[in-house]
Amino acid sequence: MRLHDGRVIHFPAIMGVLNVTPDSFSDGGRYLDPERAIEHALEMQEQGADIIDIGGESTRPVGARSVPVDEELRRLVPVLRGLARRLHVPVSIDTRKAQVARMAIEHGAAIINDVTALSYDPQMARLAAETGSAVVLMHMRGSPETHMRFARYRNVVIAVTGYLAARAKYAIRAGISPSRIIIDPGIGFAKTARHNLALLNALPVLCRLGYPVLVGTSRKSFIRRIAGGTPREIEFGTAAADALAVAAGASIVRVHDPGAARAAVRMAAAMRVNDGK
Ligand code: HH2
């Protein structure tokens, strides 16, 4: 995918997660200090991250608190400033607020990762169109504060595919280039473990919409439940899910541990290319 600044992301790509938050579910508080956050972003780049996804507001399933714009900016600005000249890989900004996304773009971010698929802030689509930013459109129901109340579907695959097709249409109507749209089934957002597994199995269906698919399984509770809850089990479980996602057609995996993901993604990508057909 060619970004508006001319840089190219080669798929399958690894998106490393940087949560500059006190309350993220797996690493809350670890990178609230700007120096530590900057160091961790550079470390993830070193480990093979192709994109660094920076967020200042947690979306975890239970008890995520909405963060005022000022606070989100206060967390993010020093980190984005500190990274501006030192990071070579593109930055994506994980926010649902246009004011935050605008500030990040001014500091060089090229991708807007919006867990509400441009539905929370009416200014977001226009901002993406005007700046030529790429967008990640993620499926969720309700809001980051309430989404687990809405984990009921007649057919989760049909619901998610239909929603993402509609949001992509909305984005294009707003002036966003189809070549800069990424879709994401929103693993763990208004979804039970069964829903997550059904969606991971149905990635080829999502891929047929014609947009690169991003998948974020990293350290989420269904991985803990299935693979086990020790740090090693969670890491191996995540790497296995990443490999299978790439084998099924995913273009980007969003992970906390790019080193582990890189090995898994390389194996899956090699098997996808050399499938004997
Ligand atoms: N998952 C989380 C946050 N942002 N964005 C996309 N596109 N896809 C995801 O699956 C996704 C996301 C939740 O994970 P994390 O960032 O680690 O936690 P928190 O939201 O608590 O900061």
Side-chain angles (χ1 to χ4, degrees):
M1 169 177 279
R2 184 173 292 277
L3 300 171
H4 70 86
D5 57 12
R7 284 185 287 182
V8 175
I9 301 172
H10 297 284
F11 296 145
I14 294 165
M15 174 184 266
V17 179
L18 182 63
N19 287 318
V20 191
T21 58
D23 55 347
S24 287
F25 73 92
S26 82
D27 55 2
R30 281 182 74 176
Y31 307 113
L32 200 53
D33 170 50
E35 281 310 311
R36 290 192 65 186
I38 291 165
E39 208 176 286
H40 185 56
L42 296 172
E43 188 179 66
M44 287 197 290
Q45 172 174 259
E46 195 74 8
Q47 291 168 346
D50 302 294
I51 306 164
I52 304 290
D53 186 43
I54 308 182
E57 179 181 49
S58 172
T59 51
R60 72 198 168 131
V62 183
R65 291 250 181 88
S66 172
V67 177
V69 172
D70 285 358
E71 174 61 19
E72 212 174 318
L73 290 172
R74 202 181 59 75
R75 291 176 187 173
L76 294 171
V77 169
V79 179
L80 289 162
R81 256 196 212 133
L83 286 173
R85 265 183 227 99
R86 297 165 73 190
L87 205 61
H88 314 300
V89 299
V91 165
S92 95
I93 177 72
D94 185 350
T95 188
R96 47 187 173 150
K97 303 183 190 104
Q99 229 178 304
V100 175
R102 181 179 292 283
M103 177 280 301
I105 292 163
E106 282 164 9
H107 285 84
I111 304 167
I112 300 171
N113 175 21
D114 184 349
V115 297
T116 74
L118 311 176
S119 71
Y120 176 78
D121 188 330
Q123 306 300 324
M124 195 64 120
R126 186 150 24 114
L127 174 69
E130 274 170 17
T131 56
S133 305
V135 290
V136 179
L137 306 176
M138 195 192 84
H139 175 272
M140 174 172 55
R141 279 178 170 178
S143 66
E145 297 85 0
T146 63
H147 59 92
M148 283 319 284
R149 277 188 235 151
F150 300 94
R152 284 210 195 124
Y153 303 85
R154 193 174 297 165
N155 182 316
V156 71
V157 175
I158 291 174
V160 170
T161 310
Y163 175 85
L164 291 175
R167 295 314 294 169
K169 230 184 225 174
Y170 166 84
I172 293 165
R173 244 186 282 125
I176 297 169
S177 164
S179 67
R180 301 234 169 89
I181 292 176
I182 298 160
I183 56 172
D184 178 347
I187 298 299
F189 287 88
K191 291 164 196 96
T192 63
R194 275 183 49 220
H195 296 139
N196 293 333
L197 295 170
L199 285 164
L200 289 171
N201 271 313
L203 287 177
V205 177
L206 274 184
C207 291
R208 260 177 250 139
L209 290 179
Y211 304 100
V213 173
L214 183 153
V215 174
T217 63
S218 189
R219 300 182 184 170
K220 287 185 178 167
S221 63
F222 80 113
I223 299 263
R224 295 163 194 256
R225 211 171 307 154
I226 295 166
T230 69
R232 272 169 75 81
E233 287 167 333
I234 294 167
E235 235 38 89
F236 288 139
T238 297
D242 288 338
L244 289 164
V246 169
S251 292
I252 307 176
V253 289
R254 182 182 181 277
V255 299
H256 296 87
D257 184 349
R262 186 164 71 163
V265 164
R266 280 186 176 168
M267 282 312 299
M271 289 185 66
R272 201 162 90 182
V273 172
N274 298 290
D275 63 358
K277 280 181 204 152

